[in-house]
Amino acid sequence: MGSHQIEEVDVLLVGAGFASFTLLNRLRKLGYSVRIFEKGAASGGIWYWNCYPGARVDTDTPIYQLFDKELWEDFTFHERYAGWKEIRRYFEHVEKKWHVRDYTSFNKNVDSAVFDEQRQQWLIECADSTEIYARWFLPCIGFASKRYTPPFPGLGNFRGDIYHTAVWPQHGVNLKGKRVAVVGTGASGVQVIQELGDITKEMTIYLRTPNMCLPMNQRPLDEKEEEEKKKNGWYEQQIEATRHTFAGFTYDFVQRNTFDDTPEEREKFYHELMVEKGGFNFWLATYKDMLFDLKANEEAYKFWRKQILKRLKDPEKQKLFAPEVPPHPWGTKRPSLEQRFYEVVDQPHVKVVDVNKAPIEEVTATGLKTSQGQVDVDVIVLATGFDSVTGSLAQLNIQGTKGGTIADHWKDGTKTAMGIAMPEFPNMFFLYGPQAPTAFSSGPSCTQFQAEWVEKAFKIIKEKNITRLEATQESEDDWCRRLKEEWDATLFPLAKSWYSGANIPGRKVEPLNWAGGMVEYVGTLNRSLENGLQGWKVE
Ligand code: N01
């Protein structure tokens, strides 16, 4: 008869990116048997799927990597902000060093999981019918594994090629000399546009909300200099710094308010942040009231706009990309880091359609039709983002102890305990997901700190021989209350963004990320262990 032996492990990690790699090593060292199931054919997580032209990280070296000396000792990034190809090479390096492949199964698309009360184990099943029992189930699938495609009528009728940035063909696409439409100007859109704008015959950007981009100030890194920095402890210092800041970067808001400075001092400070330092400094190392006080925020916007207008010559494009009245307060929607973006879009062969005035009515066999007429194109690039933060988990058929799925658990709103677990879903922890600092943090920092907490929890689990750990209802209620209070105190609610699910038509708009800072987040997690597993039901 067809009874088959189902593999059993202590821990199943889903996804082969930063979170699972750091956990794999830690949990193996504690003596747990661990397996990783990854949907893609290679590791890298988001960097496997989002290999579109120009895809590049917005966090600078050395903090965009696993926080492990053993790994950086013999790997050096070649740019301040690494591109996707180099990040993939980095993942291959980690794989080799930590023998990750011995513990990882690729092309394993986990699509359901159910908790077996008798066995106190999860039974997890993949699309190809592979099954596995795991006492501990840890989805490490990030905030952007469910892409979003707007339901434009006629999308299937287009005779040219359509590519979504989040599932770019692995073999690449040659768009040189083509007529290309790009829908969306978030981080993905900005990068595609600045990379392809120069080489396409014609580019038409379908713009809904201007992205208030900041100069990346990219530069190559000198290998010898980096080696020197590694030797003199600079890498450790930078990584240590991430533990003490709001967003897990090396820099933080200054302890001054905007109007504490004179206009001249302010101008000088803004210039230093945006022009001289570049990167997210103008966002995350600025005055501490910028994301709380509208008047203070307006000052930042005025300075930003002045800089951008110097680089955009076309008056229509000035109005579209840097309007006098911003669509939302500065920095309440994620700014992108750009390299020549404004110079690229300023060129005559790059056209912009304002979809607020002329919405996309239909995709025809040859192009896109709006109320302003039709533009014929060879290729459509959809840079339309993700069902972010909650979509990754909610799309899976993960059943809790009362029979409902995660989507059922969240039907009246997203609810988690400390952004890492949920009642009714025992023995399950998720990393870099909803209600954690996720979108307000650097990915490797957030996953590192959550993984450190998981490691501490697993030490206790082993010591106390715990077979079941479940977040309490009180813990979830308390976290949701705190999360909303932190969010409501900021200006973030004034933007329509993926931070709150507002990018998905019909979705409930609600805070999806912890806006109270990384330090307080990690403190809360740690207190729950130190105070005798407060907030957890233990068996
Ligand atoms: O997605 P997005 P993304 N008609 O949601 C537009 C990370 N990331 O893939 O703003 C017309 O930001 C939409 O318009 P609007 C990073 O955290 C990082 O770009 O909603 N347009 C928007 O312009 C980032 O924030 C990196 O009005 C429509 C765009 O599509 C997150 O992932 C690189 C539309 C979607 O932008 C998401 O970025 C890439 C419609 N019907 C991603 N529907 C780096 O580190 C949507 N849009 C550099």
Side-chain angles (χ1 to χ4, degrees), residues 248-265:
F249 281 82
T250 48
Y251 40 75
D252 211 347
F253 298 104
V254 292
Q255 287 310 305
R256 289 200 309 283
N257 285 324
T258 303
F259 299 105
D260 290 347
D261 280 358
T262 64
E264 294 73 31
E265 286 166 344

Side-chain angles (χ1 to χ4, degrees), residues 193-210:
I193 291 165
Q194 70 191 4
E195 189 77 9
L196 297 179
D198 286 342
I199 62 159
T200 50
K201 182 174 171 207
E202 218 173 79
M203 177 176 273
T204 311
I205 301 170
Y206 291 81
L207 172 78
R208 192 163 69 180
T209 311

Side-chain angles (χ1 to χ4, degrees), residues 47 52 56-58 143 148 150 152 183-189 191 206 208-209 333-334 355 360 383-386 498 503:
W47 299 105
Y52 57 81
R56 173 177 301 288
V57 69
D58 272 354
F143 73 82
Y148 172 65
F152 297 128
V183 186
T185 53
S188 308
Q191 291 186 327
Y206 291 81
R208 192 163 69 180
T209 311
K333 212 164 164 163
R334 185 183 181 282
V355 299
I360 298 167
T384 46
F386 304 90
W498 64 262
N503 63 323

